[in-house]
């Protein structure tokens, strides 16, 4: 493979695709590199086809998207109003692990450290001593707010219990693309309507895209955001795919919006079902719903019927089928082509990680942007390693939900009987023995996320960090009781999610 570029930093960028990935890339790059007409010498052009359209179902995000807004120069309130967006404090899991089980993966901590030692160790010590300290969920500010459908942004006072959580958004995916497009076009990104029919290349170096109209779009660097079609990256020499369907067997989804209900919750709900799971995402103007399933375990018609039978409002459209497979490309940056979004890989929608992976790719691309100097391969390799790491850690986190289960149905039996990756076994063993969980340094999800899913799926630590013993037992218990009381008081003073959206993010439907 030839190092890229052979002749200097790219001056002309072509983005293929105008879904969430394409327009997020365009907005971020135009903020950092400048577009046509800017004093910065990089031209950005985006090609998309209205006839093909977008996948249009990425409606739930993670708190990292707020960093993307800052990185790309996007205003939160403007964005929420334009996309009929709402706030998200976490994900509620219903019937995961076993039927009747219920827990929340919160965007925030379970209690603050006591004596400099993470709360989970004090909670474990008390639990192992037979104290009635309740579930670890009771010490999460975000979870308490979810239980009461309340929302307000976290406090900036890092000493306050109100600072111990974060938040993300739910939004209408179609409106989000349109919103980003309006920003990118104001920043001189040039959009071309048309279907790419051929990719012209010399070796592993793409020289131009050929449209059905005959137009030829040349460039130095091509960013493939063409979704599952992977039009450019998929035809690069040495392109290879890593398949993860043995661990993540869901391969289809059916989606349908329904009328907004009174249960206007600041969280996504994910309900496990016989052959997969159903999502529920509250927006200002409607509720998004879907059933993600394994086609080996339920028919498309049955899946659609299960979804329609479980809506909490009138269906607003016909059920829409989608197909996918879990896995990733071996090299997201190959030659002078970088895959961003579904063209680089997909890990099924559980835990809403796909938009985060777009953000990570764009951020790493800016970080490892090809310069004029020699030795470009090192930048490309660093990018690919960073992306692989992100994908692999998300993979392990998602498999955890499927592997640790006691459900009786064939899909779920298969999931718990399939040995997971070694990396996940290590994480689970360390938590089981000592209550230790991976930190954010080691990938997308920080310790509270792992703790919520590990405990939520039924695993309790058998030991704890002995440093917790430096705090006298009674003092530790008193600190835990105090934490819970502060959370209850704080949440009681919050406004409802519906009120907060109405006052700060009202879109066209509010
Ligand atoms: C069932 C399901 C649920 C999901 N839920 C979530 C979620 O809650 N949260 C989350 O973060 N992510 C979610 N995702 C993932 C999310 O939808 C995608 O990551 C996101 O929409 C980005 O898609 P994309 O832009 O890569 O592709 P697409 O939206 O498919 O866009 C592809 C673009 O490429 C263009 N194109 C393709 N071929 C050509 C061609 N030959 N010529 C010209 N243009 C072309 C299309 O016109 C389009 O503009 C979900 C995905 C699925 C399948």
């Amino acid at each position: 493979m030839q190092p890229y570029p052979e002749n200097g930093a790219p001056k002309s960028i072509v983005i293929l695709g105008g879904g969430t990935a394409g327009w997020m890339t365009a907005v971020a790059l135009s903020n950092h590199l400048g577009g046509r007409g800017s004093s910065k010498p990089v031209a950005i052009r985006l090609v998309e086809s209205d006839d093909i359209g977008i996948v249009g179902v990425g409606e739930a995000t993670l708190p990292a998207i707020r960093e993307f807004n800052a990185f790309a120069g996007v205003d939160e309130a403007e964005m929420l109003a334009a996309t009929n967006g709402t706030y998200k404090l976490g994900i509620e899991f219903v019937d995961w692990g076993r039927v009747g089980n219920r827990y929340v993966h919160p965007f925030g901590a379970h209690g603050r450290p006591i004596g400099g030692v993470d709360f989970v160790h004090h909670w474990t010590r008390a639990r192992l001593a037979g104290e009635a300290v309740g579930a670890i969920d009771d010490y999460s500010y975000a979870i308490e707010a979810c239980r009461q459908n309340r929302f307000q942004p976290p406090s900036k006072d890092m000493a306050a219990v109100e600072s111990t959580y974060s938040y993300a958004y739910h939004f209408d995916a179609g409106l989000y693309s349109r919103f980003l497009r309006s920003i990118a076009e104001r920043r001189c990104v040039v959009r071309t309507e048309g279907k790419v029919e051929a990719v012209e290349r010399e070796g592993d170096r793409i020289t131009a895209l050929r449209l059905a109209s005959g137009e030829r779009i040349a460039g130095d660097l091509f960013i493939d955001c063409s979704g599952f079609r992977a039009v450019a990256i998929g035809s690069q020499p040495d392109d290879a795919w890593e398949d993860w369907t043995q661990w993540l067997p869901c391969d289809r989804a059916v989606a349908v919006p329904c009328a907004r209900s009174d249960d206007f919750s600041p969280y996504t709900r994910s309900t496990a079902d016989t052959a997969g799971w159903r999502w529920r995402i509250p927006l200002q103007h409607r509720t998004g719903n879907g059933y993600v399933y394994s086609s080996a375990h339920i028919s498309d018609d049955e899946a659609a019927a299960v979804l329609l039978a479980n809506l909490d409002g009138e269906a607003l459209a016909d059920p829409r089928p989608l197909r996918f497979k879990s896995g990733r490309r071996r090299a997201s940056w190959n030659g002078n082509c970088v895959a961003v979004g579904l063209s680089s890989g997909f890990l099924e929608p559980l835990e809403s990680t796909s938009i985060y992976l777009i953000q990570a790719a764009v951020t790493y691309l800016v970080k490892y942007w090809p310069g004029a100097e020699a030795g470009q391969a090192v930048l490309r390799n660093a990018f690919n390693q960073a992306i692989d790491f992100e994908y692999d850690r998300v993979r392990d986190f998602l498999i955890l939900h499927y592997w640790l289960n006691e459900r009786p149905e064939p899909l779920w039996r298969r999931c718990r009987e399939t040995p997971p990756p070694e990396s996940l076994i290590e994480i689970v063993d360390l938590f089981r023995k000592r209550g230790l969980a991976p930190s954010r340094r080691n990938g997308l999800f920080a310790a509270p996320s792992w703790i919520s899913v590990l405990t939520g799926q039924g695993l309790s630590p058998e030991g704890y960090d002995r440093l917790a013993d430096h705090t006298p037992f009674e003092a530790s218990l008193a600190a835990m009781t105090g934490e819970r009381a502060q959370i209850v008081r704080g949440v009681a003073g919050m406004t409802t999610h519906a009120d907060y959206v109405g006052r700060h993010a009202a879109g066209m439907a509010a």
Side-chain angles (χ1 to χ4, degrees):
M1 228 188 288
Q2 258 180 341
Y4 174 81
E6 297 153 80
N7 53 359
K11 302 257 186 324
S12 161
I13 315 301
V14 179
I15 299 171
L16 166 50
T20 301
W23 287 113
M24 279 178 77
T25 304
V27 166
L29 293 187
S30 62
N31 201 37
H32 286 272
L33 305 167
R36 197 178 64 168
S38 140
S39 57
K40 297 176 195 167
V42 172
I44 304 173
R45 192 159 175 188
L46 185 147
V47 188
E48 68 173 317
S49 160
D50 279 344
D51 285 348
I52 294 175
I54 65 172
V55 68
V57 277
E59 307 207 310
T61 62
L62 294 169
I65 194 168
R66 292 165 54 217
E67 292 161 26
F68 177 79
N69 285 348
F71 177 75
V74 173
D75 179 78
E76 174 178 292
E78 209 183 299
M79 184 205 83
L80 288 171
T83 60
N84 280 322
T86 59
Y87 300 95
K88 175 180 174 188
L89 290 169
I91 305 173
E92 182 186 36
F93 288 90
V94 179
D95 292 340
W96 281 85
R98 60 189 156 71
V99 177
N101 188 28
R102 196 177 269 263
Y103 69 93
V104 175
H105 165 194
F107 297 153
H110 300 91
R112 286 169 290 179
I114 300 170
V117 177
D118 285 345
F119 187 91
V120 65
H121 301 293
H122 290 274
W123 174 76
T124 303
R125 176 165 72 146
R127 203 179 42 76
L128 292 176
E131 295 289 335
V133 285
I136 197 156
D137 286 15
D138 293 344
Y139 302 91
S140 160
Y141 198 98
I143 293 179
E144 189 62 29
C146 287
R147 286 173 179 161
Q148 299 192 31
N149 278 349
R150 290 176 188 264
F151 179 80
Q152 72 190 31
S155 165
K156 292 190 170 54
D157 173 3
M158 298 314 280
V161 71
E162 289 84 0
S163 72
T164 57
Y165 64 98
S166 185
Y167 68 94
Y169 319 115
H170 303 118
F171 49 55
D172 181 313
L175 296 178
Y176 185 55
S177 287
R178 243 182 277 166
F179 169 72
L180 293 176
R181 174 178 164 184
S182 69
I183 299 177
E185 288 186 322
R186 281 202 301 274
R187 293 183 188 160
C188 301
V189 172
V190 176
R191 175 188 182 274
T192 300
E193 167 64 33
K195 185 171 178 211
V196 173
E197 287 207 325
V199 178
E200 296 179 6
R201 57 167 52 81
E202 288 165 10
D204 72 345
R205 187 173 166 75
I206 298 177
T207 50
L209 304 177
R210 179 79 67 180
L211 304 191
S213 63
E215 189 180 352
R216 183 175 181 277
I217 298 182
D220 298 324
L221 182 67
F222 290 81
I223 305 181
D224 187 342
C225 300
S226 63
F228 291 128
R229 287 180 173 77
V231 175
I233 193 87
S235 57
Q236 284 291 76
D238 299 330
D239 177 58
W241 178 261
E242 197 162 311
D243 187 290
W244 291 338
T245 48
Q246 81 263 36
W247 296 305
L248 298 169
C250 289
D251 57 355
R252 290 193 194 173
V254 55
V256 72
C258 75
R260 175 180 153 169
S261 78
D262 291 339
D263 183 9
F264 192 56
S265 52
Y267 55 87
T268 304
R269 179 172 300 136
S270 162
T271 305
D273 212 310
T274 49
W277 60 277
R278 288 175 280 115
W279 79 74
R280 176 189 179 278
I281 298 178
L283 303 179
Q284 291 183 39
H285 57 316
R286 60 171 169 78
T287 302
N289 307 275
Y291 187 3
V292 176
Y293 57 94
S294 155
S295 59
H297 295 92
I298 193 171
S299 72
D300 295 341
D301 287 347
E302 279 174 283
V306 169
L307 179 65
L308 291 172
N310 282 284
L311 302 180
D312 56 6
E314 182 200 346
L316 299 177
D318 290 332
R320 184 170 157 231
L322 296 132
R323 291 179 180 211
F324 57 84
K325 57 180 186 234
S326 284
R328 68 160 162 78
R329 300 219 106 72
R330 286 255 159 78
S332 282
W333 184 341
N334 184 344
N336 65 336
C337 181
V338 183
V340 176
L342 298 173
S343 58
S344 77
F346 185 55
L347 286 108
E348 81 134 84
L350 188 68
E351 294 281 358
S352 353
T353 55
S354 198
I355 292 173
Y356 167 78
L357 290 166
I358 295 171
Q359 164 180 355
V362 181
T363 311
Y364 287 127
L365 183 57
V366 170
K367 181 171 179 179
Y368 299 117
W369 191 253
E373 72 274 15
Q376 295 293 339
V378 74
L379 296 167
R380 192 185 55 218
N381 292 344
F383 174 90
N384 282 332
Q385 278 167 17
I387 295 297
D388 290 356
F389 184 80
E390 294 280 358
Y391 265 99
D392 294 358
R393 194 36 75 84
V394 168
R395 176 202 64 193
D396 286 358
F397 190 58
L398 299 197
I399 294 171
L400 175 64
H401 299 65
Y402 284 96
W403 181 45
L404 282 191
N405 92 82
E406 297 165 18
R407 291 188 59 118
E409 301 93 340
L411 167 76
W412 296 99
R413 266 207 316 273
R414 180 200 145 167
C415 288
R416 76 170 160 269
E417 285 165 6
T418 304
E422 272 302 315
S423 44
L424 177 57
I425 293 177
E426 278 173 24
I427 289 171
V428 170
D429 280 351
L430 200 55
F431 185 74
R432 192 195 311 274
K433 288 191 170 45
R434 280 292 142 79
L436 295 168
S439 71
R440 173 88 163 87
R441 257 197 331 280
N442 305 118
L444 167 61
F445 292 104
S449 299
W450 286 94
I451 292 169
S452 64
V453 178
L454 284 158
T455 54
Q457 300 279 138
L459 190 78
S460 295
E462 294 160 2
Y464 58 91
D465 184 342
R466 292 285 152 185
L467 289 174
D469 289 339
H470 288 294
T471 302
F473 193 71
E474 292 306 323
S476 164
L477 280 186
M480 290 172 65
T481 308
E483 187 79 358
R484 171 75 191 147
Q486 283 187 50
I487 288 171
V488 170
R489 237 186 351 261
V491 171
M494 289 170 90
T495 184
T496 65
H497 182 223
D499 279 354
Y500 196 88
V501 168
R503 278 191 286 118
H504 299 276
M508 53 196 179

